[in-house]
């Protein structure tokens, strides 16, 4: 857990992201670009869960609640104000504020583990059934009809200084990619800051962290709130990628998938959940285009196989292998004896 | 008076329904500290067993009361051997693996039977009159059978040798194993027993709810939240939580409609967990089964 990549290894990643951002619209078709925007939104959702689960040990089954709330807040605010930049800020604020509220409710009640999972899952399902019920003209916030099962339309992003200049799909892709990249590096910075290190300490041993004088509840709450804000931002991107917000954003399938991305990509890394989200997204659309195997069969097997055989996930396993290969080259000859010595040590 | 009686019956049915769908999950959670998120799909498999069996001419009662628990119990034993066995003591990992299993079962059943079933079974008992109100006789039957199932689980755990051995194993596996109990077999049978109860619930509910591959999703959230808010004691926890939640659900549903009833149920459960993080039986009825 907590694989820390040195600063030297971060800049190639940033360069890769920038190169991808510059090249993709030149090479790829428009349809693929629009799809990519959705995938990026999901990756950001994955990153938010990877942050709070991997670095705070908070197993949130309903990260989708902040995602959905962010998307709805964006759509409603944009329809009311006509200005989308304010709407983006509103969406992030709503995601973070609700996370703070729910987090206060849970962490200060010392709810943890499975119980925390149960509460968050329930909360997202509550929103799912409540929002599905809001069809009809009486359910509206300002000018925005909530639209029940069919959801409501999400106005596309505009330039901050000119609300008539609607962004084209290519420009939307630039925005989404920059948001993801900046969020990723923000999270890396956060996990290396003092705050992030204390969060990791709380994750490893809550009692010990408290005995050292840190209020575990506050640190968890802070991390959870940041995760909620990120998920809210992901909701904004999702609303823009799809063009509508629907109750499905709160539903079980997205909630389950977010968990799968983190498991597959790797708990305790930040790049893992992002790659996991992209991978599963394209696996999804590939499987959706053929009739041979049912999608759920594959997703289920992937989850089972990873939990049983690769509990660390892809990113840490790959890093392990790479590190071992590097080391192996240097001292291949001396390998055997130290290993046997290790095996002789008593197990803990 | 008639209205009151009909409403009361409806609420009691709601409570027993909640208890019926949660009981199998509660056995597995209470005894083994394993949360089986594929529980909803076990219920679904029970329903499919009844559909397949009756379409081959098997008597409906036999299919519901014998075949469904038997088949799903067997599935449970297989799942325990293949999957759960490797994950004891890792609560979160079991949760995730069984979530994967749930997706897998939904997909597999969809592949075999298609996304919808055309066969429906009508409830084998007709309506019953209570004053001016008609009530489903089958729902009355379900209330009775839930009571019987709870009594049966109590009897197995309290009165039989197997139950004694199982409870001993759950409390002190090392000691039980030193006394010659094969703990691995006990785990397997306990998981199978819980699964069988889930299969029974699925078989019994098939005539009411109909069966589609995704039907498990309806049950799992409710069963999960009932078991968690009930806490570790299997029967006391399930009964107390499903009574509380079932009454809230029934009253709010009657006043405002089914969706808000559901929401009220979930919110009540959240409040219970917030106040009593170990569930109701973590605070009250501690020594109970």
């Amino acid at each position: 857990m907590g694989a820390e990549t040195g600063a030297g290894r971060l800049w190639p990643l940033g360069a890769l992201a920038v190169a991808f951002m510059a090249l993709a619209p030149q090479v790829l078709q428009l349809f693929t670009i629009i799809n990519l925007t959705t995938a990026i939104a999901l990756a950001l959702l994955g990153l938010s869960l990877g942050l709070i689960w991997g670095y705070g040990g908070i197993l949130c089954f309903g990260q989708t609640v902040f995602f959905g709330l962010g998307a709805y807040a964006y759509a409603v605010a944009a329809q009311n104000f006509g200005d989308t930049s304010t709407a983006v800020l509103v969406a992030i604020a709503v995601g973070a504020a609700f996370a703070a509220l729910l987090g206060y409710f849970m962490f200060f009640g010392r709810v943890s583990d499975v119980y925390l999972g149960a509460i968050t899952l329930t909360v997202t399902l509550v929103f799912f059934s409540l929002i599905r019920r809001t069809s009809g003209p009486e359910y509206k916030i300002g000018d925005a009809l909530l639209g029940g099962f069919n959801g409501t339309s999400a106005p596309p992003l505009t330039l901050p200084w000119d609300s008539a200049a609607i962004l084209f799909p290519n420009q939307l892709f630039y925005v989404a990619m920059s948001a993801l990249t900046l969020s990723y590096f923000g999270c890396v910075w956060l996990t290396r800051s003092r705050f992030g290190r204390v969060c990791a300490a709380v994750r490893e041993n809550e009692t010990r962290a408290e005995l050292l004088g840190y209020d575990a509840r506050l640190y968890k709450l802070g991390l959870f709130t940041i995760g909620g804000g990120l998920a809210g931002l992901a909701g904004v991107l999702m609303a823009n990628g799809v063009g509508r917000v629907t109750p499905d954003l709160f539903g079980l399938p997205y909630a389950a998938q977010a968990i799968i991305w983190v498991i597959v990509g790797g708990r305790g890394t930040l790049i893992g959940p992002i790659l996991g989200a992209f991978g599963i997204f394209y696996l999804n659309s590939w499987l959706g285009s053929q009739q041979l195997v049912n999608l759920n069969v594959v997703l289920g097997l992937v989850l089972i196989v990873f939990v049983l055989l690769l509990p660390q996930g892809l990113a840490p396993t790959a890093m392990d292998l790479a590190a071992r290969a590097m080391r192996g080259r240097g001292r291949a000859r001396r390998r055997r004896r130290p290993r046997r010595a290790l095996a002789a040590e008593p197990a803990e | 008076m008639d209205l009151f009686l009909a409403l009361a019956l409806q609420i009691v049915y709601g409570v027993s329904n909640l208890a019926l769908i949660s009981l199998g999950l509660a056995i597995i959670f209470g005894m083994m500290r394993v949360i089986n998120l594929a529980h909803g799909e076990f219920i679904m498999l029970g329903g499919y067993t009844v559909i397949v069996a009756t379409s081959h001419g098997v008597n409906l009662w036999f299919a519901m009361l014998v075949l469904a628990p038997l088949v799903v119990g067997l599935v449970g034993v297989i799942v325990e051997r293949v999957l759960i066995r490797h994950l004891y003591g890792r609560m979160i990992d079991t949760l995730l693996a069984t979530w994967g299993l749930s997706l897998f079962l939904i997909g597999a059943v969809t592949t075999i039977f298609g996304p919808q079933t055309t066969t429906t079974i009508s409830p084998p008992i007709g309506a019953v009159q209570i004053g001016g109100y008609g009530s489903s006789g089958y729902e009355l039957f379900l209330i009775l059978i839930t009571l019987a199932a709870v009594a049966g689980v109590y009897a197995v755990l309290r009165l039989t040798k197997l139950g004694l051995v199982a409870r001993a194993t759950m409390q002190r596996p090392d000691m039980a194993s030193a006394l010659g109990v094969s703990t691995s077999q006990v785990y397997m049978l306990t998981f199978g027993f819980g699964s069988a109860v889930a299969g029974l619930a699925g078989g019994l509910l098939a005539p009411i709810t109909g069966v589609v591959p995704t039907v498990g999703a309806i049950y799992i959230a409710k069963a999960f939240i009932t078991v968690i808010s009930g806490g570790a004691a299997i029967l006391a926890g399930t009964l107390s939580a499903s009574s509380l939640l079932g009454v809230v659900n029934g009253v709010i549903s009657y006043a405002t409609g089914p969706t808000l009833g559901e929401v009220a149920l979930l919110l009540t459960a959240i409040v219970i967990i917030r106040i009593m993080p170990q569930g109701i039986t973590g605070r009250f009825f501690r020594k109970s089964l």
Side-chain angles (χ1 to χ4, degrees):
Chain A
M1 302 284 266
E4 306 229 0
T5 38
R9 270 186 275 163
L10 270 177
W11 72 263
L13 207 60
L16 204 68
V18 171
F20 180 66
M21 192 152 80
L23 282 179
Q26 319 293 328
V27 184
L28 300 171
Q29 287 177 330
L30 191 62
F31 173 73
T32 321
I33 290 292
I34 296 175
N35 244 338
L36 255 176
T37 308
T38 313
I40 291 169
L42 296 176
L44 189 52
L45 174 64
L47 175 67
S48 75
L49 182 63
L51 177 70
I52 63 165
W53 188 11
Y55 288 85
I58 305 164
L59 174 54
C60 177
F61 271 2
Q63 192 68 4
T64 43
V65 72
F66 316 118
F67 181 60
L69 276 178
Y72 267 92
Y74 169 76
V76 168
Q79 285 181 39
N80 276 311
F81 303 150
D83 169 34
T84 54
S85 331
T86 325
V88 173
L89 296 180
V90 168
I92 297 174
V94 165
F98 189 71
L101 195 74
L102 187 64
Y104 175 76
F105 181 80
M106 295 188 306
F107 301 130
F108 283 75
R110 296 281 178 196
V111 175
S112 62
D113 280 355
V114 177
Y115 301 93
L116 196 144
I119 287 190
T120 49
L121 182 67
T122 313
V123 168
T124 194
L125 292 179
V126 166
F127 272 97
F128 178 64
S129 14
L130 273 182
I131 299 221
R132 269 171 72 122
R133 234 177 138 250
T134 57
S135 52
E138 70 271 28
Y139 293 104
K140 58 179 188 177
I141 303 174
D143 299 332
L145 281 175
L146 289 180
F149 188 69
N150 294 320
T152 185
S153 72
L157 279 172
T158 59
L159 290 177
W161 54 87
D162 179 5
S163 60
I166 292 171
L167 295 188
F168 291 108
N170 271 345
Q171 296 164 321
L172 216 54
F173 167 75
Y174 289 134
V175 172
M177 198 61 203
S178 329
L180 179 65
T181 313
L182 290 179
S183 304
Y184 171 73
F185 285 110
C187 286
V188 170
W189 172 80
L190 186 74
T191 52
R192 290 177 182 186
S193 68
R194 189 174 166 278
F195 173 80
R197 288 175 193 279
V198 176
C199 285
V202 170
R203 172 196 71 201
E204 291 302 324
N205 193 333
E206 198 167 327
T207 320
R208 183 179 288 183
E210 295 219 309
L211 289 173
L212 289 173
Y214 299 105
D215 190 342
R217 302 172 300 181
L218 273 182
Y219 281 92
K220 280 186 179 179
L221 182 62
L223 196 66
F224 197 61
T225 307
I226 295 169
L230 276 181
L233 179 61
V236 173
L237 300 181
M238 189 70 183
N240 270 286
V242 182
R244 283 197 84 72
V245 294
T246 57
D248 290 341
L249 295 176
F250 292 102
L252 201 53
Y254 278 126
Q257 280 193 29
I259 301 279
I260 298 179
W261 302 328
V262 179
I263 291 283
V264 168
R267 269 175 281 184
T269 69
L270 292 169
I271 194 72
I274 295 178
L275 297 179
F278 276 116
I280 299 285
F281 181 82
Y282 282 101
L283 184 70
N284 258 340
S285 45
W286 178 65
L287 287 171
S289 64
Q290 50 86 50
Q291 296 296 315
L292 207 63
V293 204
N294 186 292
L295 169 68
N296 281 322
V297 171
V298 177
L299 282 185
L301 282 180
V302 165
L303 187 51
I304 293 174
V305 165
F306 269 87
V307 170
L308 279 183
L309 304 177
L310 274 178
Q312 277 202 306
L314 281 182
T317 309
M319 276 186 228
D320 257 19
L321 285 179
R324 204 172 294 172
M326 299 273 264
R327 246 183 295 138
R329 228 183 292 150
R331 37 175 172 159
R333 261 174 292 156
R334 277 186 294 162
R335 225 185 192 170
R336 278 229 173 101
R337 244 191 305 166
R339 236 197 211 170
R340 203 172 287 157
L342 267 181
E345 272 174 32
E348 48 172 336
Chain B
M1 188 60 208
D2 289 348
L3 174 70
F4 179 74
L5 207 64
L7 184 64
L9 190 67
Q10 206 52 44
I11 289 177
V12 172
Y13 169 66
V15 169
S16 69
N17 192 356
L18 216 48
L20 187 63
I21 60 173
S22 315
L23 190 57
L25 190 66
I27 292 172
I28 293 174
F29 176 66
M31 297 288 274
M32 313 166 71
R33 282 287 168 279
V34 165
I35 294 252
N36 175 21
L37 276 190
H39 179 71
E41 280 60 46
F42 282 13
I43 294 180
M44 178 266 287
L45 286 182
Y48 268 96
T49 310
V50 170
I51 294 229
V52 170
T54 46
S55 68
H56 283 80
V58 178
N59 178 291
L60 177 60
W61 295 107
F62 182 73
M64 285 196 307
L65 296 175
V66 181
L67 273 185
L70 215 60
V71 169
V72 180
L74 213 61
V75 170
V77 167
I78 295 171
V79 165
E80 199 276 344
R81 284 292 95 172
V82 175
L83 192 62
I84 313 289
R85 187 160 63 103
H86 306 289
L87 298 170
Y88 283 124
R90 291 154 61 185
M91 199 163 179
I92 301 292
D93 283 343
T94 1
L95 204 75
L96 298 169
T98 50
W99 199 340
L101 178 70
S102 133
L103 292 175
F104 174 78
L105 287 177
I106 293 174
V109 170
T110 312
T111 311
I112 299 171
F113 295 99
Q116 235 94 48
T117 38
T118 42
T119 17
T120 49
I121 340 165
S122 49
I125 305 176
V128 175
Q129 286 292 317
I130 303 172
Y133 296 90
S135 180
S136 157
Y138 190 66
E139 290 185 358
L140 277 179
F141 168 72
L142 281 187
I143 296 173
L144 294 179
I145 202 104
T146 306
L147 284 177
V150 169
V153 170
Y154 180 83
V156 168
L157 289 179
R158 256 287 133 81
L159 306 177
T160 66
K161 174 132 193 264
L162 187 70
L164 184 71
V165 168
R167 283 186 292 134
T169 307
M170 303 312 157
Q171 282 175 14
R172 287 291 299 272
D174 49 346
M175 188 55 77
S177 146
L179 290 172
V181 174
S182 165
T183 49
S184 158
Q185 270 187 21
V186 173
Y187 286 132
M188 182 181 81
L189 289 179
T190 312
F191 197 85
F193 182 53
S195 311
V197 174
L200 177 72
L204 288 168
L205 290 174
I208 292 187
T209 56
V211 184
V212 287
T214 49
V215 77
I218 305 172
Y219 300 122
I220 185 60
K222 277 204 240 171
F224 185 32
I225 202 84
T226 308
V227 170
I228 294 286
S229 43
I234 300 168
L235 293 173
T238 309
L239 288 180
S240 56
S242 50
S243 306
L244 194 61
L245 300 176
V247 169
V248 168
N249 184 24
V251 172
I252 303 285
S253 292
Y254 175 72
T256 60
T259 321
L260 278 191
E262 203 107 308
V263 170
L265 184 157
L266 297 174
L267 289 180
T268 313
I270 290 177
V271 172
I272 293 179
I273 298 175
R274 170 63 169 75
I275 302 172
M276 297 176 261
Q278 298 301 312
I280 296 175
T281 49
R283 168 110 17 124
F284 307 111
F285 321 114
R286 268 188 184 205
K287 295 277 172 192
S288 54
L289 191 64

